[in-house]
Structures are given as structure tokens and as C-alpha cells.
Amino acid sequence: MSSVLYDVPGPKARRVSLIGSIVGIVLIGGLLAFAVSTLAQQGIFEAQRWQVFAIPDVWKLIGDGIVATLSAAAVAAVIAFPLGLLLCLLRISEVPAIRIPTRIVLEFLRGMPVVLMMLFVLLVFATSPFVAVVTGLVLYNSAVFAEIIRAGIQSLPKGQREAGLAVGLTSFQSRLIVELPQAIRRMMPSLVAQLVVLLKDTSLGYIVSYEELLRKVQLMADVLGPQYLFPVFFVAAALYITINFSVSRLAIWIERRGSKKAAGGVAKAEPAAVEAAAK
Amino acid sequence: MDVIIENLPLYWNGFLRTLFLSAVSGVIALLLGTLLAAARVSPVAALRGFSMAYVEIVRNTPLTIAFFFSAIVLPRLGVTFQQFEVAAIIALSTYTAAFVAEAVRSGVNSVPVGQAEAARSIGMQFSQVLSLIILPQAVRTVIPPLINIMIALVKNSSIAGAFFVLELFGYGRQLANAHGDQVMWVLIGVAFFYLLITVPLGLLASTVERKVAIAR
């Protein structure tokens, strides 16, 4: 599409674009240089500030933080997926008495801030922060998983369900045996993209005092002294982004591979990523 | 239950603050996001690269980290804010802009190629094609996803409550600490006010989706 929006650049336009690019890069470079020099004035780049990373305990704490983050995400994902599947089946049930209450519950879950659900579980049920974080994530993400799978089922050709019913499967059997496997495969990129959202949301654990990566950073800054806040934060943020980035790449890889293998291809991850902005 | 009625003014303050944060960040994010989307389809390679890198990095950064950076790390580095609202608005709008950019870009892609070709064949430049022909048509497809992004923004603004901004979630935490015996009702009150924003917006999104849906 983008190539349709403008002519193939000729020599003059290419020169203008090149000059524009160079000016842009210089501008961005200038901004970065300004930021770096400001940081340097604060003494950020003094070697002794970064020597904290020579202390084994710092790495141990960072490691603990990552393990805490990943384990909360893993437990939540493992519980949320089957629950989402169940909610999806209830949501598309042909019995209004099942379908409508489920819809209300789903709307409710999707309309609430995740951190509020975490705080609710933490304070009202007096659980450990881990349980609060996992419950919050499970409640929200199972609702989103349900909506994604529902979108997948609705995107299937009508004939799939009709064929299932025609060979004598009950409505429920047709959903389970014929439609769900195809819907899940089609929606795989969106489901993985939602996993990134889930992983990102574990950082909300910071707010309900779950000892994940960000809280460990705060802890280290409190113990070692505020001057170490920036180095430790910098490393932790870089780790967080790297992990999320890898999972996002995985989603794109599945999308590419899936569009070759699955009949009818898989849905693109992008619409989900947009909806997934619904955190 | 009493605790909600007693503290209704507090809830109302928080509700207004949440609305304010969301509205200001929303407007900034819309502008920034549209610019990013335009850069993404522009002929200048550096702009395309910048926009792509921005969206890619921001989408993979947890919002809590952005808040932590602007509210806790920046002040230690000498950048202090008169009010923490400013830090919250910076974090929220830069984060949301990436999602707006993606939505607008997919809207641009949904406009039939013939539209751009027709515009160019009558001699329009890139900026004219985009602003007069493509974006006005893209808006129709983009509105429902944009409303969903705004819903997410309202929910995300709750994180500000954990970083020194007294909005709905911030007041909720305060009240929960003050009324240890009625925590459940305090938080149900907070949830109610959030749903007061998000549920109507969600209904609006699905209505608009049905209304502006155009067969292409």
C-alpha cells in the first residue's frame, strides 16, 4: 500500500529523502547526545555506579525478580487458557440463560482495570501477593482469550458447523471437535500476542507488593542507595523488554508459519494487538 | 455500603481526575499516534524506521515501567515535576500513541488502492493524498479500534494511582487503608466508577462499528 501513496522516487526526490534522513538521524542523535550528556552530568556513567553489577547478590535479586515475573505469568496463562475456552463455549451457547449472564460477566471483567482486581483479591481475600497477581491476570485474560476464540469461531465458514451437525454430531460436539480446533489454530497469533500482554501485566505486581522484577529494583535502590537506582532500573527494563520482544517475535513467526500450513491461513496478529491494547 | 455514600465527594474527585488524565493523554496520544502512522507510510526512510522502532519498543514495554521511569527515576535524575499528573500524562500518552499508530496504519491499509491511485493520477502529492483522500476514509474503519484503545487508556490510568496521583484508584487505595473493615465495599465503589466509563464506551464502540461498517 505505502508504495501506492507516492511515486517511485526519482533522483531528485531520492536526494531530498536522503538529506531528510540524514537531518532526522542527526536530530535524533543530537537528542540522544543531549540526554546522555545530561545523564553524565548527574554522574550516571561513573564506573563505581555500575560496579554494583559486580556484586553477585544484585544479579541474584534480578534473577529472583525474573523468576517471580515469569512464574506468575506462566501459572496465570496455564489457568487462563482453559478457563477462556470454557467461557467462550458458554458465551456462544444456544441457551440464552447461559449466554446472557456469561456475556455480562465477560463485559464486566474486560471493563475493569487489572490492577484493581489484583488489589481486590489481595485485600478482600487476604491472600499472598502471588495469588492476587495470578488471580487478577487469570480473570482478565480468560475473558480476553474467550473473546479471541469466539472471534475465531465466527470467522469460520458456516459450512463447518453445518457439516458437523449433518453427520450427526450434537451442537456441543460440533463446537468441540470441528470448530474449536480450527478456531484456535486460526487465532494462534492473537493468542500469543495476548500472552505478551499478560507478561507485561505481571509488572502490575509491583503495585500489590509482589516481589517481581520492578519491586526488586526498588528494593535494591533502597538498600544500596538511590544513586544506584538508574543503573539497576536500566538493566531491569532492558531485560523486561527483551523478554517481551522475544515473545512478540514468536507470535509473528507463528503467523508466518501458520499462514503457510493452516488451511485458509491464520488471522493476522495485528487486530488482536490493537484489541490487546485493551491490556 | 455506607463507606461509599460517606465518601462520595472523594470518589467524585477521583472520577473527575481519572477522566481528566484520560482525556488529556487521549488527545495527545491521538495526535502523536496519527503522526507516527503517517511517518510509517511516508517516502522518507528515516521516518519509517523511527516510527517502526518507536512502536516496536513501546509495545513491548510494560506501562508500569514507563510510569516507574517518569515518576521515580526521572526525578532522581534531576527532572522534577511540579505535579505528578504531568509524569502520568507523559507515560500514558507516549504509551498509548504506539497503539493508536498501529490502529491508524491498519486503517490506512484498509482503504482500497484505487483511491490512492486516483488521487495520485490527478497530480496530488503524498501529503495531499494522505490528508485529503486516505485519512478521511480510514477514520471510518479506525474509530471502533480507537474507542477500544481509549477504553484501555482509561483502565491504564489506574496505574497512575500507584505513582502518587490521586485519581480513582489512588483514592481507592487511600480509602481501603482507612477503612480496613469495609475494604470490599470501598473497592466495589471504585470498580463501579470505572465501569461507568468503560461500559458505555464499549457499547458505543460496538454501535459505531455496526453503523460505519462499510462493505469493501
Side-chain angles (χ1 to χ4, degrees):
Chain A
M1 178 69 192
S2 59
S3 60
V4 187
L5 291 174
Y6 45 85
D7 287 303
V8 175
K12 196 174 156 199
R14 270 208 298 272
R15 201 165 55 235
V16 171
S17 160
L18 182 69
I19 293 170
S21 294
I22 291 170
V23 169
I25 290 167
V26 167
L27 267 178
I28 292 172
L31 270 177
L32 274 181
F34 174 73
V36 168
S37 79
T38 318
L39 288 180
Q41 274 170 14
Q42 303 281 331
I44 288 301
F45 298 107
E46 284 163 20
Q48 57 110 0
R49 287 214 184 183
W50 295 83
Q51 272 165 6
V52 280
F53 293 110
I55 308 172
D57 280 356
V58 167
W59 285 109
K60 192 181 164 296
L61 278 173
I62 290 180
D64 286 352
I66 290 181
V67 169
T69 291
L70 290 180
S71 59
V75 172
V78 167
I79 303 175
F81 186 70
L83 196 60
L85 220 58
L86 179 71
L87 282 171
C88 169
L89 285 174
L90 295 177
R91 171 75 176 78
I92 56 177
S93 155
E94 277 160 357
V95 186
I98 299 177
R99 189 176 64 229
I100 294 169
T102 314
R103 181 161 180 210
I104 294 174
V105 170
L106 286 182
E107 288 296 327
F108 175 80
L109 291 179
R110 293 202 310 158
M112 289 265 281
V114 182
V115 63
L116 187 60
M117 295 199 255
M118 289 180 182
L119 192 70
F120 190 89
V121 175
L122 181 76
L123 295 181
V124 175
F125 300 109
T127 59
S128 70
F130 177 77
V131 175
V133 169
V134 168
T135 316
L137 289 174
V138 163
L139 286 177
Y140 178 71
N141 287 286
S142 57
V144 177
F145 281 140
E147 288 296 321
I148 293 177
I149 299 169
R150 187 172 73 95
I153 287 183
Q154 282 178 345
S155 76
L156 290 178
K158 241 174 140 186
Q160 295 293 330
R161 179 169 178 75
E162 285 167 358
L165 296 178
V167 295
L169 298 178
T170 64
S171 163
F172 182 69
Q173 282 174 323
S174 158
R175 293 266 192 238
L176 212 58
I177 304 173
V178 179
E179 292 164 67
L180 264 187
Q182 299 185 66
I184 292 174
R185 174 171 275 192
R186 272 180 82 85
M187 286 316 201
M188 210 54 194
S190 306
L191 292 171
V192 179
Q194 184 59 29
L195 278 186
V196 179
V197 177
L198 192 154
L199 199 56
K200 273 163 63 174
D201 281 359
T202 52
S203 67
L204 294 173
Y206 170 77
I207 299 169
V208 290
S209 67
Y210 176 53
E211 298 267 317
E212 47 73 74
L213 194 50
L214 205 53
R215 182 124 315 254
K216 297 281 188 198
V217 169
Q218 175 97 69
L219 187 76
M220 279 185 265
D222 290 346
V223 174
L224 298 168
Q227 68 269 34
Y228 296 113
L229 179 65
F230 184 79
V232 181
F233 171 79
F234 184 79
V235 169
L239 283 171
Y240 231 125
I241 294 171
T242 314
I243 295 172
N244 289 332
F245 195 76
S246 331
V247 184
S248 302
R249 288 283 122 189
L250 182 70
I252 294 170
W253 182 73
I254 290 177
E255 184 182 317
R256 295 230 177 94
R257 202 188 63 133
S259 51
K260 276 184 226 148
K261 276 195 173 172
V266 294
K268 286 195 77 181
E270 267 173 75
V274 169
E275 223 229 340
K279 276 202 24 92
Chain B
M1 197 77 201
D2 295 342
V3 72
I4 300 180
I5 294 159
E6 276 167 28
N7 294 296
L8 213 51
L10 227 55
Y11 276 110
W12 184 245
N13 273 347
F15 180 70
L16 291 182
R17 191 72 53 88
T18 292
L19 275 184
F20 170 75
L21 277 183
S22 315
V24 174
S25 322
V27 170
I28 300 176
L30 277 180
L31 293 175
L32 199 61
T34 312
L35 281 180
L36 281 169
R40 183 71 186 270
V41 295
S42 83
V44 184
L47 284 180
R48 280 202 301 271
F50 173 75
S51 166
M52 219 164 96
Y54 181 90
V55 170
E56 203 54 33
I57 291 174
V58 170
R59 282 211 315 191
N60 287 309
T61 309
L63 184 54
T64 323
I65 283 199
F67 266 104
F68 194 86
F69 181 76
S70 68
I72 294 180
V73 178
L74 275 185
R76 292 264 165 80
L77 297 176
V79 185
T80 44
F81 299 105
Q82 293 293 312
Q83 290 161 313
F84 280 106
E85 272 89 347
V86 181
I89 288 173
I90 292 175
L92 279 173
S93 53
T94 47
Y95 179 82
T96 310
F99 294 93
V100 172
E102 278 299 279
V104 173
R105 190 173 69 95
S106 62
V108 166
N109 285 334
S110 76
V111 177
V113 178
Q115 297 289 325
E117 285 171 349
R120 262 186 48 218
S121 68
I122 58 170
M124 286 186 170
Q125 295 173 341
F126 170 72
S127 57
Q128 290 174 313
V129 177
L130 204 61
S131 63
L132 297 175
I133 308 294
I134 303 292
L135 282 181
Q137 295 187 65
V139 165
R140 298 186 77 176
T141 25
V142 161
I143 284 180
L146 278 186
I147 297 178
N148 282 331
I149 291 174
M150 291 304 132
I151 295 176
L153 172 62
V154 172
K155 292 192 293 174
N156 286 339
S157 71
S158 62
I159 300 176
F163 292 94
F164 323 119
V165 178
L166 275 180
E167 41 67 82
L168 210 39
F169 184 74
Y171 278 122
R173 287 220 307 182
Q174 228 177 40
L175 283 175
N177 283 335
H179 303 270
D181 47 337
Q182 287 168 299
V183 173
M184 196 172 88
W185 284 111
V186 167
L187 295 179
I188 287 177
V190 175
F192 170 78
F193 278 101
Y194 272 109
L195 293 174
L196 207 58
I197 311 178
T198 54
V199 169
L201 274 178
L203 294 177
L204 181 69
S206 50
T207 317
V208 172
E209 196 158 10
R210 252 176 282 131
K211 279 229 163 128
V212 302
I214 18 174
R216 283 219 161 103

